[in-house]
Amino acid sequence: PESCFIFIKNLIRVLKPKGRLYFSVPVGDERLIFNAHRVFSHTTILNCFNELKLHELSGIKRDGLLYTNVDLKNFNDTEFKCGLFIFEK
């Protein structure tokens, strides 16, 4: 269940300087489902990628619509189903 965090560290490691990483995960109340699927809080993702700069944050809300360039202060995990993060090294 912790392999996702090893994977994230390796993504950061292989990303070239000034490279961009597009990362999308389910967001909401953080939980592990059947030891295979994980829902993350956006805070966990930001902490995991703290070596990179957040370039853009977008998401898909429960209404099924895409919201681009969401202000971090307005990103509420209970309103969004999917977080779309763009990081830069």
Side-chain angles (χ1 to χ4, degrees):
E2 301 300 313
S3 61
C4 58
F5 300 110
I6 295 167
F7 173 70
I8 288 171
K9 287 181 182 181
N10 282 305
L11 284 175
I12 295 168
R13 181 181 59 80
V14 300
L15 187 65
K16 69 179 183 176
K18 297 188 181 183
R20 284 200 179 162
L21 173 66
Y22 296 78
F23 193 75
S24 175
V25 290
V27 293
D29 293 329
E30 196 156 302
R31 62 194 180 278
L32 182 62
I33 304 165
F34 300 118
N35 202 24
H37 304 286
R38 188 180 290 271
V39 178
F40 296 90
S41 74
H42 74 283
T43 307
T44 297
I45 296 301
L46 294 175
N47 288 338
C48 287
F49 287 99
N50 65 357
E51 298 174 39
L52 305 179
K53 176 187 171 198
L54 179 64
H55 181 72
E56 183 180 318
L57 174 58
S58 299
I60 298 172
K61 282 193 175 182
R62 299 200 175 280
D63 60 11
L65 298 176
L66 172 65
Y67 293 82
T68 59
N69 295 314
V70 178
D71 186 331
L72 191 54
K73 293 178 231 166
N74 297 328
F75 196 92
N76 184 336
D77 290 331
T78 59
E79 293 178 20
F80 286 88
K81 291 171 51 174
C82 182
L84 309 161
F85 302 83
I86 301 175
F87 292 103
E88 192 171 306
K89 194 168 196 179

